[in-house]
């Protein structure tokens, strides 16, 4: 069932028309954080959330992106006494870059591009549940918004996942 649901979400992410609006990434991340407080109440999570910008994007699709990145950070850090999750952003030329960093198990850097492909898993499903579709969905959604995705990691030292969106947000900040 989980695989079918994930495949349907992956298919929808490629077909549905984007409904771009301006919204606060901070509000979106805080909403997801509250949802995680219920679903992951057994974990000791130390959140570090920077002041994130408002963006112009499809809010529902961006919620899927951020939910996937945050829940992966929790899942792959779950064996730690304290999970550290840092979410921040920066502006770089014509894009805004958002990062989600954890202190989890990490992975060898040479696999950093493969993990965004459908059904690519770096760990056994018996070790970590999941279908291998989540990061492919992240990539598809971000690409549809004109952005890009990438990751930096090292085994046993955590991972940082990045995505960018075109910097149409510059006008938003200049008007304020």
């Amino acid at each position: 069932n989980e695989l079918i649901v994930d495949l349907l979400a992956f298919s929808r992410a490629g077909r549905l028309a984007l409904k771009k609006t301006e919204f606060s990434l901070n509000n979106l991340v805080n909403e997801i954080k509250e949802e995680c407080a219920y679903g992951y109440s057994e974990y000791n999570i130390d959140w570090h959330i920077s002041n994130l910008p408002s963006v112009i994007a499809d809010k529902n699709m961006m919620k899927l992106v951020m939910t996937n990145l945050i829940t992966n950070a929790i899942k792959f850090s779950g064996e730690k006494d304290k999970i550290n999750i840092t979410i921040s952003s920066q502006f770089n030329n014509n894009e805004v870059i958002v990062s989600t960093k954890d202190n989890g198990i990490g992975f060898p850097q040479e696999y950093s591009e493969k993990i965004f492909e459908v059904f690519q898993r770096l760990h056994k499903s018996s070790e970590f549940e999941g279908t291998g579709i989540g990061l492919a969905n992240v990539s598809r959604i971000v690409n549809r918004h004109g952005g890009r995705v990438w990751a930096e990691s090292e085994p046993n030292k955590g991972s940082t996942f990045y995505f960018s969106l075109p910097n149409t947000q510059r006008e938003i900040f200049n008007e304020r």
Side-chain angles (χ1 to χ4, degrees):
N1 282 341
E2 184 180 348
L3 179 60
I4 291 169
V5 167
D6 285 352
L7 282 170
L8 287 171
F10 182 72
S11 175
R12 276 193 305 273
R15 290 185 289 112
L16 292 177
L18 296 177
K19 296 177 184 168
K20 292 183 178 182
T21 60
E22 179 185 349
F23 63 93
S24 164
L25 271 179
N26 263 107
N27 291 345
L28 183 69
V29 167
N30 284 323
E31 181 182 320
I32 296 166
K33 180 181 162 188
E34 287 180 28
E35 292 170 6
C36 288
Y38 295 108
Y40 297 96
S41 60
E42 69 273 20
Y43 296 107
N44 181 13
I45 304 173
D46 192 12
W47 297 91
H48 305 273
I49 302 171
S50 297
N51 188 21
L52 303 171
S54 289
V55 296
I56 298 172
D58 185 304
K59 185 176 180 181
N60 290 329
M61 288 194 182
M62 283 297 118
K63 184 170 184 180
L64 287 173
V65 167
M66 292 305 302
T67 298
N68 189 285
L69 295 175
I70 291 169
T71 58
N72 273 1
I74 296 169
K75 177 170 58 171
F76 290 103
S77 302
E79 295 181 5
K80 301 280 183 177
D81 290 333
K82 180 181 269 187
I83 298 171
N84 293 311
I85 297 176
T86 302
I87 302 171
S88 60
S89 65
Q90 66 184 44
F91 288 95
N92 180 28
N93 298 324
N94 297 323
E95 61 187 0
V96 59
I97 299 171
V98 179
S99 64
T100 304
K101 181 178 182 177
D102 64 56
N103 63 328
I105 62 168
F107 58 86
Q109 186 62 34
E110 62 261 25
Y111 297 111
S112 65
E113 290 186 30
K114 278 187 136 337
I115 59 173
F116 293 103
E117 297 173 12
V118 178
F119 302 127
Q120 292 298 315
R121 295 180 53 98
L122 300 181
H123 308 283
K124 296 176 188 171
S125 57
S126 59
E127 295 175 315
F128 297 97
E129 62 182 44
T131 59
I133 296 174
L135 289 176
N137 214 11
V138 166
S139 179
R140 177 175 268 188
I141 291 168
V142 170
N143 289 331
R144 286 199 61 210
H145 280 81
R148 57 195 179 99
V149 295
W150 68 100
E152 296 174 354
S153 188
E154 192 174 333
N156 302 312
K157 295 191 178 181
S159 302
T160 305
F161 286 85
Y162 300 90
F163 71 88
S164 70
L165 294 173
N167 191 4
T168 54
Q169 294 74 13
R170 182 172 287 153
E171 293 93 40
I172 295 170
F173 286 103
N174 288 338
E175 293 172 6
R176 293 188 179 155

